[in-house]
Amino acid sequence: MSIPAFGLGTFRLKDQIVKDSVITAVQLGYRAIDTAQIYDNETAVGEAIAESGVARSEVFITTKIWIENLSADALIESLKVSLGKLKTDYVDLTLVHWPSPNAAVSVAETMHALVKAKELGLTRQIGISNFTVALMQEAIDAVGAAEIATNQIELSPFLQNRKVVNFARQHNIAITSYMTLAYGDALKDETIIKIAQSHNATPAQVVLAWALQLGYAVIPSSTKRTNLESNLLAQQLTLTAEEMSQIAGLERDGRLVSPEGLAPDWD
């Protein structure tokens, strides 16, 4: 995988709250930070990284292009604005946050603009987010699968998104899981709690370890130092084949993120 397997998400965190979260995470050893234009926190994230004392070259920054900026005319200029806010000359990964509603801007136009942004040195890698199999195929047809570093999708024990995962794997496109803990619902599941107890681990560690063991990148967020530190330890937890099978059995098409007017026709 050409992207870090473990990173920090910043969705819904703003101002001093996101600054504190990022600074603490970097101090603890996190080296990948995920943000987006629509999160309205790129400035605070940039300040936090600058103040963290860690060299920019050691931090992997991902941002996402909002739907209003997906056209060839707007994308690169909007990314330059993001770079200014993030206080950096480049980001490591730029994603299409959501496919253009009603295909107002074609996938091909957006992907070609992202490739141009990469050629200009504004981003090291490019990718997609919330793309279905059909939309992934459009992106592949436009620029080739080798250009697409990841598809960042909602993926948890309750929504395992296997059709999208399998298609991505066939084309060597990495999967980044967001909402991996299902807004905390997965932490209350009896199966996960039992597995956690058998490993003297937290339920969050079990869910994150499950995703990592399946080869997905994860970007859990937290504002608490204890949780940030604890989540990191998921990388050291190995689940048995039986435990992985038990979690696989929790699938229930439990999608939590499907905003009206934004969501594509899900697989």
Side-chain angles (χ1 to χ4, degrees):
M1 192 185 297
S2 60
I3 58 175
F6 205 99
L8 177 75
T10 63
F11 177 54
R12 291 187 169 170
L13 305 182
K14 292 187 180 183
D15 304 323
Q16 193 61 44
I17 291 172
V18 77
K19 279 190 72 174
D20 291 345
S21 175
V22 171
I23 288 173
T24 301
V26 172
Q27 287 174 347
L28 290 170
Y30 287 75
R31 289 297 180 267
I33 312 295
D34 182 277
T35 182
Q37 293 176 341
I38 198 64
Y39 293 176
D40 192 27
N41 66 9
E42 288 175 315
T43 298
V45 168
E47 290 171 355
I49 293 169
E51 294 171 19
S52 70
V54 173
R56 165 67 188 94
S57 60
E58 293 183 28
V59 182
F60 189 102
I61 303 175
T62 299
T63 196
K64 310 181 200 79
I65 305 293
W66 187 239
I67 57 170
E68 294 168 358
N69 301 322
L70 293 178
S71 70
D73 291 338
L75 189 148
I76 286 173
E77 290 309 309
S78 81
L79 182 52
K80 288 178 179 176
V81 171
S82 290
L83 296 181
K85 292 177 178 178
L86 288 163
K87 296 178 171 52
T88 182
D89 296 330
Y90 69 95
V91 285
D92 297 273
L93 177 63
T94 303
L95 306 179
V96 180
H97 200 155
W98 287 89
S100 182
N102 302 312
V105 180
S106 72
V107 170
E109 179 177 342
T110 300
M111 296 308 297
H112 285 302
L114 276 177
V115 169
K116 185 177 180 184
K118 183 179 172 182
E119 290 170 348
L120 291 171
L122 305 177
T123 184
R124 297 281 172 86
Q125 298 183 77
I126 62 173
I128 52 184
S129 183
N130 298 301
F131 270 41
T132 60
V133 167
L135 289 163
M136 279 197 290
Q137 186 64 62
E138 286 188 51
I140 291 167
D141 290 344
V143 299
E147 282 285 3
I148 303 168
T150 191
N151 186 10
Q152 185 179 124
I153 55 173
E154 181 183 352
L155 193 151
S156 75
F158 307 141
L159 179 75
Q160 298 185 24
N161 233 322
R162 292 188 180 113
K163 189 175 179 183
V164 170
V165 167
N166 291 340
F167 182 86
R169 285 200 161 138
Q170 287 167 17
H171 294 87
N172 293 316
I173 296 171
I175 291 291
T176 301
S177 163
Y178 76 79
M179 216 61 71
T180 316
L181 305 179
Y183 278 137
D185 287 348
L187 312 185
K188 305 167 193 169
D189 181 86
E190 287 185 12
T191 297
I192 289 167
I193 289 170
K194 284 181 182 176
I195 294 171
Q197 289 170 342
S198 72
H199 287 275
N200 195 26
T202 68
Q205 287 168 347
V206 167
V207 176
L208 294 171
W210 163 79
L212 290 166
Q213 220 160 303
L214 288 172
Y216 310 144
V218 294
I219 46 171
S221 65
S222 181
T223 58
K224 297 178 181 176
R225 185 183 185 93
T226 51
N227 289 345
L228 289 167
E229 195 166 14
S230 174
N231 288 347
L232 264 184
L233 296 175
Q235 298 172 97
Q236 299 168 25
L237 175 61
T238 301
L239 305 180
T240 67
E242 172 61 24
E243 289 164 344
M244 293 293 287
S245 178
Q246 288 172 7
I247 298 175
L250 299 178
E251 167 65 48
R252 61 186 190 210
D253 196 27
R255 189 176 298 281
L256 298 172
V257 182
S258 189
E260 191 175 347
L262 266 185
D265 294 327
W266 300 114
D267 292 300

